[in-house]
Amino acid sequence: MDIGYARVDLDRERRQGLPEIVYGPGKQAGEIAGILGVLLDRNDGPVLVTRVGPETAAEVRALVPGGRYDDAARLLVWRPALPLGHQVAVVTAGTADGPVAAEAAAVATALGLATTVIRDVGVAGIHRILAETERLRDADSVIVIAGMEGALASVVGGLVETPVIAVPTSVGYGAALEGVTALLAMLTSCAAGITVVNIDSGFGAALAAYRLTRRRP
């Protein structure tokens, strides 16, 4: 649907099970509100806006009532989904990975996934992640968020049989190359079958976990 400044994909819910999710940066509050109005009117599922700061979020909520804002995740949500019965564990290597984890957890929750966050279990203290082995194995999927050398994804990939979705973060010193080192490490992990998403993309990881729940009748 062409609304002048955007072409809203109203068919995406039929094709993929979710309405189009709005990327906030670069859009004015009025533009976001206009897109939201169309999505809320013409679709039935949850409607999300990602990567929005608190000032823009407040403006949008004033224009489109009923939304909920998660400041840590920078996420706006209307009509969160009912529980799908899929448990996802969101695991962080360090406290600095928290913003990416917040986005992953909030998006996953809004899409109906039951979410547990396990924080600060990086490989510099390997006992920390080993102590969480049973909780990891109880989850239907695991999102692993790590910067530096990205080794946590390989460790978790070697502990569980369920899908592991790895998120490299831009956390780290010089040779970490703003997440490129972690990205390459995760892509070349010897723990076979790990899925790797883009740097700092908690959103992408949550959508990957959501897709694991989808089945055509």
Side-chain angles (χ1 to χ4, degrees), residues 1 3 5 8 10 22 29-43 47 49 60 63-65 78-79:
M1 179 177 180
I3 58 173
Y5 51 83
V8 186
L10 296 177
V22 183
E31 293 172 332
I32 295 173
I35 295 168
L36 286 172
V38 173
L39 290 171
L40 289 166
D41 182 58
R42 302 288 292 272
N43 289 279
V47 175
V49 185
V60 172
L63 294 169
V64 185
W78 281 259
R79 290 194 312 230

mmCIF file with all atom_site columns, all heavy atoms in Angstrom, residues 1 3 5 8 10 22 29-43 47 49 60 63-65 78-79:
data_model
loop_
_atom_site.group_PDB
_atom_site.id
_atom_site.type_symbol
_atom_site.label_atom_id
_atom_site.label_alt_id
_atom_site.label_comp_id
_atom_site.label_asym_id
_atom_site.label_entity_id
_atom_site.label_seq_id
_atom_site.pdbx_PDB_ins_code
_atom_site.Cartn_x
_atom_site.Cartn_y
_atom_site.Cartn_z
_atom_site.occupancy
_atom_site.B_iso_or_equiv
_atom_site.pdbx_formal_charge
_atom_site.auth_seq_id
_atom_site.auth_comp_id
_atom_site.auth_asym_id
_atom_site.auth_atom_id
_atom_site.pdbx_PDB_model_num
ATOM 1   N N   . MET A 1 1  ? 0.850  -1.193 0.000  1.00 0.00 ? 1  MET A N   1
ATOM 2   C CA  . MET A 1 1  ? 0.000  0.000  0.000  1.00 0.00 ? 1  MET A CA  1
ATOM 3   C C   . MET A 1 1  ? 0.887  1.244  0.000  1.00 0.00 ? 1  MET A C   1
ATOM 4   O O   . MET A 1 1  ? 1.708  1.424  0.901  1.00 0.00 ? 1  MET A O   1
ATOM 5   C CB  . MET A 1 1  ? -0.922 -0.004 1.223  1.00 0.00 ? 1  MET A CB  1
ATOM 6   C CG  . MET A 1 1  ? -1.831 1.191  1.323  1.00 0.00 ? 1  MET A CG  1
ATOM 7   S SD  . MET A 1 1  ? -2.952 1.067  2.735  1.00 0.00 ? 1  MET A SD  1
ATOM 8   C CE  . MET A 1 1  ? -3.854 2.610  2.530  1.00 0.00 ? 1  MET A CE  1
ATOM 9   N N   . ILE A 1 3  ? 1.624  4.935  0.676  1.00 0.00 ? 3  ILE A N   1
ATOM 10  C CA  . ILE A 1 3  ? 1.108  6.060  1.456  1.00 0.00 ? 3  ILE A CA  1
ATOM 11  C C   . ILE A 1 3  ? 1.960  7.316  1.227  1.00 0.00 ? 3  ILE A C   1
ATOM 12  O O   . ILE A 1 3  ? 1.984  8.224  2.031  1.00 0.00 ? 3  ILE A O   1
ATOM 13  C CB  . ILE A 1 3  ? 1.022  5.720  2.952  1.00 0.00 ? 3  ILE A CB  1
ATOM 14  C CG1 . ILE A 1 3  ? 2.392  5.309  3.517  1.00 0.00 ? 3  ILE A CG1 1
ATOM 15  C CG2 . ILE A 1 3  ? 0.008  4.619  3.198  1.00 0.00 ? 3  ILE A CG2 1
ATOM 16  C CD1 . ILE A 1 3  ? 2.377  5.131  5.040  1.00 0.00 ? 3  ILE A CD1 1
ATOM 17  N N   . TYR A 1 5  ? 5.202  8.352  1.372  1.00 0.00 ? 5  TYR A N   1
ATOM 18  C CA  . TYR A 1 5  ? 6.590  8.275  1.823  1.00 0.00 ? 5  TYR A CA  1
ATOM 19  C C   . TYR A 1 5  ? 7.017  6.839  2.125  1.00 0.00 ? 5  TYR A C   1
ATOM 20  O O   . TYR A 1 5  ? 8.171  6.600  2.482  1.00 0.00 ? 5  TYR A O   1
ATOM 21  C CB  . TYR A 1 5  ? 6.795  9.134  3.072  1.00 0.00 ? 5  TYR A CB  1
ATOM 22  C CG  . TYR A 1 5  ? 5.795  8.869  4.178  1.00 0.00 ? 5  TYR A CG  1
ATOM 23  C CD1 . TYR A 1 5  ? 5.981  7.816  5.069  1.00 0.00 ? 5  TYR A CD1 1
ATOM 24  C CD2 . TYR A 1 5  ? 4.662  9.654  4.302  1.00 0.00 ? 5  TYR A CD2 1
ATOM 25  C CE1 . TYR A 1 5  ? 5.069  7.572  6.072  1.00 0.00 ? 5  TYR A CE1 1
ATOM 26  C CE2 . TYR A 1 5  ? 3.741  9.413  5.301  1.00 0.00 ? 5  TYR A CE2 1
ATOM 27  C CZ  . TYR A 1 5  ? 3.946  8.375  6.183  1.00 0.00 ? 5  TYR A CZ  1
ATOM 28  O OH  . TYR A 1 5  ? 3.032  8.117  7.179  1.00 0.00 ? 5  TYR A OH  1
ATOM 29  N N   . VAL A 1 8  ? 3.852  0.198  2.262  1.00 0.00 ? 8  VAL A N   1
ATOM 30  C CA  . VAL A 1 8  ? 3.674  -0.737 3.366  1.00 0.00 ? 8  VAL A CA  1
ATOM 31  C C   . VAL A 1 8  ? 3.292  -2.110 2.812  1.00 0.00 ? 8  VAL A C   1
ATOM 32  O O   . VAL A 1 8  ? 2.363  -2.236 2.011  1.00 0.00 ? 8  VAL A O   1
ATOM 33  C CB  . VAL A 1 8  ? 2.605  -0.226 4.348  1.00 0.00 ? 8  VAL A CB  1
ATOM 34  C CG1 . VAL A 1 8  ? 2.536  -1.137 5.572  1.00 0.00 ? 8  VAL A CG1 1
ATOM 35  C CG2 . VAL A 1 8  ? 2.904  1.213  4.764  1.00 0.00 ? 8  VAL A CG2 1
ATOM 36  N N   . LEU A 1 10 ? 1.480  -4.973 3.135  1.00 0.00 ? 10 LEU A N   1
ATOM 37  C CA  . LEU A 1 10 ? 0.339  -5.514 3.866  1.00 0.00 ? 10 LEU A CA  1
ATOM 38  C C   . LEU A 1 10 ? 0.174  -7.015 3.673  1.00 0.00 ? 10 LEU A C   1
ATOM 39  O O   . LEU A 1 10 ? -0.557 -7.659 4.424  1.00 0.00 ? 10 LEU A O   1
ATOM 40  C CB  . LEU A 1 10 ? -0.945 -4.798 3.421  1.00 0.00 ? 10 LEU A CB  1
ATOM 41  C CG  . LEU A 1 10 ? -0.999 -3.304 3.752  1.00 0.00 ? 10 LEU A CG  1
ATOM 42  C CD1 . LEU A 1 10 ? -2.278 -2.685 3.201  1.00 0.00 ? 10 LEU A CD1 1
ATOM 43  C CD2 . LEU A 1 10 ? -0.889 -3.083 5.251  1.00 0.00 ? 10 LEU A CD2 1
ATOM 44  N N   . VAL A 1 22 ? 8.701  -2.402 11.528 1.00 0.00 ? 22 VAL A N   1
ATOM 45  C CA  . VAL A 1 22 ? 9.175  -1.085 11.109 1.00 0.00 ? 22 VAL A CA  1
ATOM 46  C C   . VAL A 1 22 ? 10.545 -0.795 11.710 1.00 0.00 ? 22 VAL A C   1
ATOM 47  O O   . VAL A 1 22 ? 10.736 -0.900 12.929 1.00 0.00 ? 22 VAL A O   1
ATOM 48  C CB  . VAL A 1 22 ? 8.175  0.007  11.535 1.00 0.00 ? 22 VAL A CB  1
ATOM 49  C CG1 . VAL A 1 22 ? 8.634  1.377  11.037 1.00 0.00 ? 22 VAL A CG1 1
ATOM 50  C CG2 . VAL A 1 22 ? 6.768  -0.314 11.020 1.00 0.00 ? 22 VAL A CG2 1
ATOM 51  N N   . ALA A 1 29 ? 8.691  10.852 13.520 1.00 0.00 ? 29 ALA A N   1
ATOM 52  C CA  . ALA A 1 29 ? 7.635  10.256 14.338 1.00 0.00 ? 29 ALA A CA  1
ATOM 53  C C   . ALA A 1 29 ? 6.312  10.182 13.578 1.00 0.00 ? 29 ALA A C   1
ATOM 54  O O   . ALA A 1 29 ? 5.588  9.188  13.662 1.00 0.00 ? 29 ALA A O   1
ATOM 55  C CB  . ALA A 1 29 ? 7.462  11.064 15.625 1.00 0.00 ? 29 ALA A CB  1
ATOM 56  N N   . GLY A 1 30 ? 6.005  11.235 12.817 1.00 0.00 ? 30 GLY A N   1
ATOM 57  C CA  . GLY A 1 30 ? 4.762  11.233 12.050 1.00 0.00 ? 30 GLY A CA  1
ATOM 58  C C   . GLY A 1 30 ? 4.738  10.159 10.974 1.00 0.00 ? 30 GLY A C   1
ATOM 59  O O   . GLY A 1 30 ? 3.693  9.558  10.697 1.00 0.00 ? 30 GLY A O   1
ATOM 60  N N   . GLU A 1 31 ? 5.897  9.908  10.363 1.00 0.00 ? 31 GLU A N   1
ATOM 61  C CA  . GLU A 1 31 ? 5.990  8.856  9.354  1.00 0.00 ? 31 GLU A CA  1
ATOM 62  C C   . GLU A 1 31 ? 5.799  7.478  9.989  1.00 0.00 ? 31 GLU A C   1
ATOM 63  O O   . GLU A 1 31 ? 5.070  6.626  9.448  1.00 0.00 ? 31 GLU A O   1
ATOM 64  C CB  . GLU A 1 31 ? 7.329  8.934  8.637  1.00 0.00 ? 31 GLU A CB  1
ATOM 65  C CG  . GLU A 1 31 ? 7.495  10.189 7.793  1.00 0.00 ? 31 GLU A CG  1
ATOM 66  C CD  . GLU A 1 31 ? 8.894  10.347 7.237  1.00 0.00 ? 31 GLU A CD  1
ATOM 67  O OE1 . GLU A 1 31 ? 9.860  9.850  7.858  1.00 0.00 ? 31 GLU A OE1 1
ATOM 68  O OE2 . GLU A 1 31 ? 9.027  10.982 6.165  1.00 0.00 ? 31 GLU A OE2 1
ATOM 69  N N   . ILE A 1 32 ? 6.445  7.266  11.125 1.00 0.00 ? 32 ILE A N   1
ATOM 70  C CA  . ILE A 1 32 ? 6.272  5.997  11.828 1.00 0.00 ? 32 ILE A CA  1
ATOM 71  C C   . ILE A 1 32 ? 4.820  5.793  12.210 1.00 0.00 ? 32 ILE A C   1
ATOM 72  O O   . ILE A 1 32 ? 4.250  4.709  12.021 1.00 0.00 ? 32 ILE A O   1
ATOM 73  C CB  . ILE A 1 32 ? 7.174  5.949  13.078 1.00 0.00 ? 32 ILE A CB  1
ATOM 74  C CG1 . ILE A 1 32 ? 8.646  5.955  12.674 1.00 0.00 ? 32 ILE A CG1 1
ATOM 75  C CG2 . ILE A 1 32 ? 6.864  4.711  13.923 1.00 0.00 ? 32 ILE A CG2 1
ATOM 76  C CD1 . ILE A 1 32 ? 9.607  6.086  13.852 1.00 0.00 ? 32 ILE A CD1 1
ATOM 77  N N   . ALA A 1 33 ? 4.200  6.852  12.721 1.00 0.00 ? 33 ALA A N   1
ATOM 78  C CA  . ALA A 1 33 ? 2.793  6.755  13.124 1.00 0.00 ? 33 ALA A CA  1
ATOM 79  C C   . ALA A 1 33 ? 1.893  6.436  11.937 1.00 0.00 ? 33 ALA A C   1
ATOM 80  O O   . ALA A 1 33 ? 0.943  5.647  12.052 1.00 0.00 ? 33 ALA A O   1
ATOM 81  C CB  . ALA A 1 33 ? 2.352  8.061  13.784 1.00 0.00 ? 33 ALA A CB  1
ATOM 82  N N   . GLY A 1 34 ? 2.179  7.031  10.787 1.00 0.00 ? 34 GLY A N   1
ATOM 83  C CA  . GLY A 1 34 ? 1.374  6.747  9.602  1.00 0.00 ? 34 GLY A CA  1
ATOM 84  C C   . GLY A 1 34 ? 1.477  5.298  9.168  1.00 0.00 ? 34 GLY A C   1
ATOM 85  O O   . GLY A 1 34 ? 0.473  4.663  8.813  1.00 0.00 ? 34 GLY A O   1
ATOM 86  N N   . ILE A 1 35 ? 2.688  4.760  9.199  1.00 0.00 ? 35 ILE A N   1
ATOM 87  C CA  . ILE A 1 35 ? 2.895  3.350  8.842  1.00 0.00 ? 35 ILE A CA  1
ATOM 88  C C   . ILE A 1 35 ? 2.194  2.450  9.849  1.00 0.00 ? 35 ILE A C   1
ATOM 89  O O   . ILE A 1 35 ? 1.525  1.471  9.484  1.00 0.00 ? 35 ILE A O   1
ATOM 90  C CB  . ILE A 1 35 ? 4.394  3.040  8.770  1.00 0.00 ? 35 ILE A CB  1
ATOM 91  C CG1 . ILE A 1 35 ? 5.054  3.827  7.639  1.00 0.00 ? 35 ILE A CG1 1
ATOM 92  C CG2 . ILE A 1 35 ? 4.634  1.534  8.571  1.00 0.00 ? 35 ILE A CG2 1
ATOM 93  C CD1 . ILE A 1 35 ? 6.575  3.808  7.669  1.00 0.00 ? 35 ILE A CD1 1
ATOM 94  N N   . LEU A 1 36 ? 2.332  2.783  11.128 1.00 0.00 ? 36 LEU A N   1
ATOM 95  C CA  . LEU A 1 36 ? 1.681  1.989  12.165 1.00 0.00 ? 36 LEU A CA  1
ATOM 96  C C   . LEU A 1 36 ? 0.173  1.958  12.002 1.00 0.00 ? 36 LEU A C   1
ATOM 97  O O   . LEU A 1 36 ? -0.464 0.914  12.175 1.00 0.00 ? 36 LEU A O   1
ATOM 98  C CB  . LEU A 1 36 ? 2.019  2.566  13.546 1.00 0.00 ? 36 LEU A CB  1
ATOM 99  C CG  . LEU A 1 36 ? 3.418  2.322  14.086 1.00 0.00 ? 36 LEU A CG  1
ATOM 100 C CD1 . LEU A 1 36 ? 3.634  3.120  15.360 1.00 0.00 ? 36 LEU A CD1 1
ATOM 101 C CD2 . LEU A 1 36 ? 3.631  0.840  14.347 1.00 0.00 ? 36 LEU A CD2 1
ATOM 102 N N   . GLY A 1 37 ? -0.392 3.112  11.679 1.00 0.00 ? 37 GLY A N   1
ATOM 103 C CA  . GLY A 1 37 ? -1.841 3.173  11.508 1.00 0.00 ? 37 GLY A CA  1
ATOM 104 C C   . GLY A 1 37 ? -2.335 2.198  10.457 1.00 0.00 ? 37 GLY A C   1
ATOM 105 O O   . GLY A 1 37 ? -3.347 1.507  10.642 1.00 0.00 ? 37 GLY A O   1
ATOM 106 N N   . VAL A 1 38 ? -1.618 2.116  9.356  1.00 0.00 ? 38 VAL A N   1
ATOM 107 C CA  . VAL A 1 38 ? -1.994 1.193  8.281  1.00 0.00 ? 38 VAL A CA  1
ATOM 108 C C   . VAL A 1 38 ? -1.823 -0.252 8.739  1.00 0.00 ? 38 VAL A C   1
ATOM 109 O O   . VAL A 1 38 ? -2.706 -1.104 8.524  1.00 0.00 ? 38 VAL A O   1
ATOM 110 C CB  . VAL A 1 38 ? -1.143 1.468  7.028  1.00 0.00 ? 38 VAL A CB  1
ATOM 111 C CG1 . VAL A 1 38 ? -1.412 0.409  5.960  1.00 0.00 ? 38 VAL A CG1 1
ATOM 112 C CG2 . VAL A 1 38 ? -1.435 2.861  6.476  1.00 0.00 ? 38 VAL A CG2 1
ATOM 113 N N   . LEU A 1 39 ? -0.685 -0.561 9.368  1.00 0.00 ? 39 LEU A N   1
ATOM 114 C CA  . LEU A 1 39 ? -0.429 -1.938 9.804  1.00 0.00 ? 39 LEU A CA  1
ATOM 115 C C   . LEU A 1 39 ? -1.445 -2.396 10.837 1.00 0.00 ? 39 LEU A C   1
ATOM 116 O O   . LEU A 1 39 ? -1.928 -3.529 10.792 1.00 0.00 ? 39 LEU A O   1
ATOM 117 C CB  . LEU A 1 39 ? 0.985  -2.042 10.380 1.00 0.00 ? 39 LEU A CB  1
ATOM 118 C CG  . LEU A 1 39 ? 2.128  -1.909 9.378  1.00 0.00 ? 39 LEU A CG  1
ATOM 119 C CD1 . LEU A 1 39 ? 3.458  -1.800 10.115 1.00 0.00 ? 39 LEU A CD1 1
ATOM 120 C CD2 . LEU A 1 39 ? 2.148  -3.095 8.409  1.00 0.00 ? 39 LEU A CD2 1
ATOM 121 N N   . LEU A 1 40 ? -1.772 -1.543 11.785 1.00 0.00 ? 40 LEU A N   1
ATOM 122 C CA  . LEU A 1 40 ? -2.731 -1.913 12.826 1.00 0.00 ? 40 LEU A CA  1
ATOM 123 C C   . LEU A 1 40 ? -4.133 -2.089 12.260 1.00 0.00 ? 40 LEU A C   1
ATOM 124 O O   . LEU A 1 40 ? -4.897 -2.941 12.724 1.00 0.00 ? 40 LEU A O   1
ATOM 125 C CB  . LEU A 1 40 ? -2.734 -0.855 13.932 1.00 0.00 ? 40 LEU A CB  1
ATOM 126 C CG  . LEU A 1 40 ? -1.483 -0.829 14.807 1.00 0.00 ? 40 LEU A CG  1
ATOM 127 C CD1 . LEU A 1 40 ? -1.434 0.457  15.638 1.00 0.00 ? 40 LEU A CD1 1
ATOM 128 C CD2 . LEU A 1 40 ? -1.442 -2.045 15.714 1.00 0.00 ? 40 LEU A CD2 1
ATOM 129 N N   . ASP A 1 41 ? -4.459 -1.305 11.256 1.00 0.00 ? 41 ASP A N   1
ATOM 130 C CA  . ASP A 1 41 ? -5.794 -1.368 10.664 1.00 0.00 ? 41 ASP A CA  1
ATOM 131 C C   . ASP A 1 41 ? -5.959 -2.555 9.724  1.00 0.00 ? 41 ASP A C   1
ATOM 132 O O   . ASP A 1 41 ? -7.034 -3.159 9.663  1.00 0.00 ? 41 ASP A O   1
ATOM 133 C CB  . ASP A 1 41 ? -6.077 -0.068 9.907  1.00 0.00 ? 41 ASP A CB  1
ATOM 134 C CG  . ASP A 1 41 ? -7.472 -0.052 9.316  1.00 0.00 ? 41 ASP A CG  1
ATOM 135 O OD1 . ASP A 1 41 ? -8.446 -0.188 10.087 1.00 0.00 ? 41 ASP A OD1 1
ATOM 136 O OD2 . ASP A 1 41 ? -7.593 0.081  8.074  1.00 0.00 ? 41 ASP A OD2 1
ATOM 137 N N   . ARG A 1 42 ? -4.889 -2.927 9.028  1.00 0.00 ? 42 ARG A N   1
ATOM 138 C CA  . ARG A 1 42 ? -5.022 -3.907 7.951  1.00 0.00 ? 42 ARG A CA  1
ATOM 139 C C   . ARG A 1 42 ? -4.410 -5.276 8.274  1.00 0.00 ? 42 ARG A C   1
ATOM 140 O O   . ARG A 1 42 ? -4.432 -6.177 7.442  1.00 0.00 ? 42 ARG A O   1
ATOM 141 C CB  . ARG A 1 42 ? -4.371 -3.341 6.677  1.00 0.00 ? 42 ARG A CB  1
ATOM 142 C CG  . ARG A 1 42 ? -4.975 -2.006 6.211  1.00 0.00 ? 42 ARG A CG  1
ATOM 143 C CD  . ARG A 1 42 ? -6.361 -2.183 5.635  1.00 0.00 ? 42 ARG A CD  1
ATOM 144 N NE  . ARG A 1 42 ? -6.293 -2.914 4.388  1.00 0.00 ? 42 ARG A NE  1
ATOM 145 C CZ  . ARG A 1 42 ? -6.109 -2.346 3.187  1.00 0.00 ? 42 ARG A CZ  1
ATOM 146 N NH1 . ARG A 1 42 ? -5.945 -1.035 3.101  1.00 0.00 ? 42 ARG A NH1 1
ATOM 147 N NH2 . ARG A 1 42 ? -6.070 -3.075 2.094  1.00 0.00 ? 42 ARG A NH2 1
ATOM 148 N N   . ASN A 1 43 ? -3.817 -5.423 9.460  1.00 0.00 ? 43 ASN A N   1
ATOM 149 C CA  . ASN A 1 43 ? -3.257 -6.707 9.883  1.00 0.00 ? 43 ASN A CA  1
ATOM 150 C C   . ASN A 1 43 ? -3.769 -7.048 11.271 1.00 0.00 ? 43 ASN A C   1
ATOM 151 O O   . ASN A 1 43 ? -4.333 -6.202 11.966 1.00 0.00 ? 43 ASN A O   1
ATOM 152 C CB  . ASN A 1 43 ? -1.721 -6.658 9.903  1.00 0.00 ? 43 ASN A CB  1
ATOM 153 C CG  . ASN A 1 43 ? -1.115 -6.596 8.523  1.00 0.00 ? 43 ASN A CG  1
ATOM 154 O OD1 . ASN A 1 43 ? -0.975 -7.601 7.843  1.00 0.00 ? 43 ASN A OD1 1
ATOM 155 N ND2 . ASN A 1 43 ? -0.741 -5.387 8.101  1.00 0.00 ? 43 ASN A ND2 1
ATOM 156 N N   . VAL A 1 47 ? 2.570  -5.642 16.077 1.00 0.00 ? 47 VAL A N   1
ATOM 157 C CA  . VAL A 1 47 ? 3.198  -4.587 15.276 1.00 0.00 ? 47 VAL A CA  1
ATOM 158 C C   . VAL A 1 47 ? 4.340  -3.996 16.096 1.00 0.00 ? 47 VAL A C   1
ATOM 159 O O   . VAL A 1 47 ? 4.143  -3.562 17.225 1.00 0.00 ? 47 VAL A O   1
ATOM 160 C CB  . VAL A 1 47 ? 2.170  -3.509 14.882 1.00 0.00 ? 47 VAL A CB  1
ATOM 161 C CG1 . VAL A 1 47 ? 2.851  -2.362 14.161 1.00 0.00 ? 47 VAL A CG1 1
ATOM 162 C CG2 . VAL A 1 47 ? 1.067  -4.111 14.010 1.00 0.00 ? 47 VAL A CG2 1
ATOM 163 N N   . VAL A 1 49 ? 8.118  -1.592 16.207 1.00 0.00 ? 49 VAL A N   1
ATOM 164 C CA  . VAL A 1 49 ? 9.043  -0.603 15.655 1.00 0.00 ? 49 VAL A CA  1
ATOM 165 C C   . VAL A 1 49 ? 10.364 -0.759 16.399 1.00 0.00 ? 49 VAL A C   1
ATOM 166 O O   . VAL A 1 49 ? 10.402 -0.671 17.634 1.00 0.00 ? 49 VAL A O   1
ATOM 167 C CB  . VAL A 1 49 ? 8.532  0.839  15.819 1.00 0.00 ? 49 VAL A CB  1
ATOM 168 C CG1 . VAL A 1 49 ? 9.469  1.812  15.109 1.00 0.00 ? 49 VAL A CG1 1
ATOM 169 C CG2 . VAL A 1 49 ? 7.109  0.984  15.297 1.00 0.00 ? 49 VAL A CG2 1
ATOM 170 N N   . VAL A 1 60 ? 5.586  9.069  19.038 1.00 0.00 ? 60 VAL A N   1
ATOM 171 C CA  . VAL A 1 60 ? 4.799  8.072  18.308 1.00 0.00 ? 60 VAL A CA  1
ATOM 172 C C   . VAL A 1 60 ? 3.643  7.572  19.162 1.00 0.00 ? 60 VAL A C   1
ATOM 173 O O   . VAL A 1 60 ? 2.503  7.447  18.681 1.00 0.00 ? 60 VAL A O   1
ATOM 174 C CB  . VAL A 1 60 ? 5.697  6.900  17.869 1.00 0.00 ? 60 VAL A CB  1
ATOM 175 C CG1 . VAL A 1 60 ? 4.854  5.771  17.285 1.00 0.00 ? 60 VAL A CG1 1
ATOM 176 C CG2 . VAL A 1 60 ? 6.732  7.371  16.856 1.00 0.00 ? 60 VAL A CG2 1
ATOM 177 N N   . LEU A 1 63 ? 0.754  9.798  19.173 1.00 0.00 ? 63 LEU A N   1
ATOM 178 C CA  . LEU A 1 63 ? -0.016 9.773  17.920 1.00 0.00 ? 63 LEU A CA  1
ATOM 179 C C   . LEU A 1 63 ? -0.768 8.465  17.723 1.00 0.00 ? 63 LEU A C   1
ATOM 180 O O   . LEU A 1 63 ? -1.828 8.448  17.086 1.00 0.00 ? 63 LEU A O   1
ATOM 181 C CB  . LEU A 1 63 ? 0.940  10.004 16.741 1.00 0.00 ? 63 LEU A CB  1
ATOM 182 C CG  . LEU A 1 63 ? 1.612  11.373 16.669 1.00 0.00 ? 63 LEU A CG  1
ATOM 183 C CD1 . LEU A 1 63 ? 2.729  11.363 15.630 1.00 0.00 ? 63 LEU A CD1 1
ATOM 184 C CD2 . LEU A 1 63 ? 0.579  12.442 16.333 1.00 0.00 ? 63 LEU A CD2 1
ATOM 185 N N   . VAL A 1 64 ? -0.222 7.377  18.266 1.00 0.00 ? 64 VAL A N   1
ATOM 186 C CA  . VAL A 1 64 ? -0.833 6.054  18.101 1.00 0.00 ? 64 VAL A CA  1
ATOM 187 C C   . VAL A 1 64 ? -0.966 5.431  19.483 1.00 0.00 ? 64 VAL A C   1
ATOM 188 O O   . VAL A 1 64 ? -0.022 4.798  19.980 1.00 0.00 ? 64 VAL A O   1
ATOM 189 C CB  . VAL A 1 64 ? 0.016  5.145  17.182 1.00 0.00 ? 64 VAL A CB  1
ATOM 190 C CG1 . VAL A 1 64 ? -0.704 3.824  16.923 1.00 0.00 ? 64 VAL A CG1 1
ATOM 191 C CG2 . VAL A 1 64 ? 0.353  5.841  15.869 1.00 0.00 ? 64 VAL A CG2 1
ATOM 192 N N   . PRO A 1 65 ? -2.105 5.587  20.132 1.00 0.00 ? 65 PRO A N   1
ATOM 193 C CA  . PRO A 1 65 ? -2.265 5.083  21.500 1.00 0.00 ? 65 PRO A CA  1
ATOM 194 C C   . PRO A 1 65 ? -2.172 3.557  21.569 1.00 0.00 ? 65 PRO A C   1
ATOM 195 O O   . PRO A 1 65 ? -2.372 2.850  20.585 1.00 0.00 ? 65 PRO A O   1
ATOM 196 C CB  . PRO A 1 65 ? -3.674 5.559  21.876 1.00 0.00 ? 65 PRO A CB  1
ATOM 197 C CG  . PRO A 1 65 ? -3.981 6.669  20.930 1.00 0.00 ? 65 PRO A CG  1
ATOM 198 C CD  . PRO A 1 65 ? -3.284 6.316  19.653 1.00 0.00 ? 65 PRO A CD  1
ATOM 199 N N   . TRP A 1 78 ? 2.895  -2.940 19.689 1.00 0.00 ? 78 TRP A N   1
ATOM 200 C CA  . TRP A 1 78 ? 1.442  -2.963 19.763 1.00 0.00 ? 78 TRP A CA  1
ATOM 201 C C   . TRP A 1 78 ? 0.979  -4.407 19.548 1.00 0.00 ? 78 TRP A C   1
ATOM 202 O O   . TRP A 1 78 ? 1.566  -5.138 18.755 1.00 0.00 ? 78 TRP A O   1
ATOM 203 C CB  . TRP A 1 78 ? 0.809  -2.088 18.668 1.00 0.00 ? 78 TRP A CB  1
ATOM 204 C CG  . TRP A 1 78 ? 0.821  -0.620 18.960 1.00 0.00 ? 78 TRP A CG  1
ATOM 205 C CD1 . TRP A 1 78 ? -0.216 0.142  19.417 1.00 0.00 ? 78 TRP A CD1 1
ATOM 206 C CD2 . TRP A 1 78 ? 1.924  0.282  18.811 1.00 0.00 ? 78 TRP A CD2 1
ATOM 207 N NE1 . TRP A 1 78 ? 0.167  1.452  19.561 1.00 0.00 ? 78 TRP A NE1 1
ATOM 208 C CE2 . TRP A 1 78 ? 1.487  1.564  19.193 1.00 0.00 ? 78 TRP A CE2 1
ATOM 209 C CE3 . TRP A 1 78 ? 3.244  0.105  18.393 1.00 0.00 ? 78 TRP A CE3 1
ATOM 210 C CZ2 . TRP A 1 78 ? 2.313  2.677  19.163 1.00 0.00 ? 78 TRP A CZ2 1
ATOM 211 C CZ3 . TRP A 1 78 ? 4.081  1.202  18.366 1.00 0.00 ? 78 TRP A CZ3 1
ATOM 212 C CH2 . TRP A 1 78 ? 3.604  2.472  18.751 1.00 0.00 ? 78 TRP A CH2 1
ATOM 213 N N   . ARG A 1 79 ? -0.047 -4.820 20.256 1.00 0.00 ? 79 ARG A N   1
ATOM 214 C CA  . ARG A 1 79 ? -0.659 -6.147 20.128 1.00 0.00 ? 79 ARG A CA  1
ATOM 215 C C   . ARG A 1 79 ? 0.357  -7.286 20.234 1.00 0.00 ? 79 ARG A C   1
ATOM 216 O O   . ARG A 1 79 ? 0.517  -8.068 19.283 1.00 0.00 ? 79 ARG A O   1
ATOM 217 C CB  . ARG A 1 79 ? -1.394 -6.270 18.795 1.00 0.00 ? 79 ARG A CB  1
ATOM 218 C CG  . ARG A 1 79 ? -2.657 -5.429 18.689 1.00 0.00 ? 79 ARG A CG  1
ATOM 219 C CD  . ARG A 1 79 ? -3.515 -5.820 17.518 1.00 0.00 ? 79 ARG A CD  1
ATOM 220 N NE  . ARG A 1 79 ? -2.825 -5.967 16.264 1.00 0.00 ? 79 ARG A NE  1
ATOM 221 C CZ  . ARG A 1 79 ? -3.208 -5.391 15.111 1.00 0.00 ? 79 ARG A CZ  1
ATOM 222 N NH1 . ARG A 1 79 ? -4.271 -4.609 15.074 1.00 0.00 ? 79 ARG A NH1 1
ATOM 223 N NH2 . ARG A 1 79 ? -2.532 -5.600 13.991 1.00 0.00 ? 79 ARG A NH2 1
#
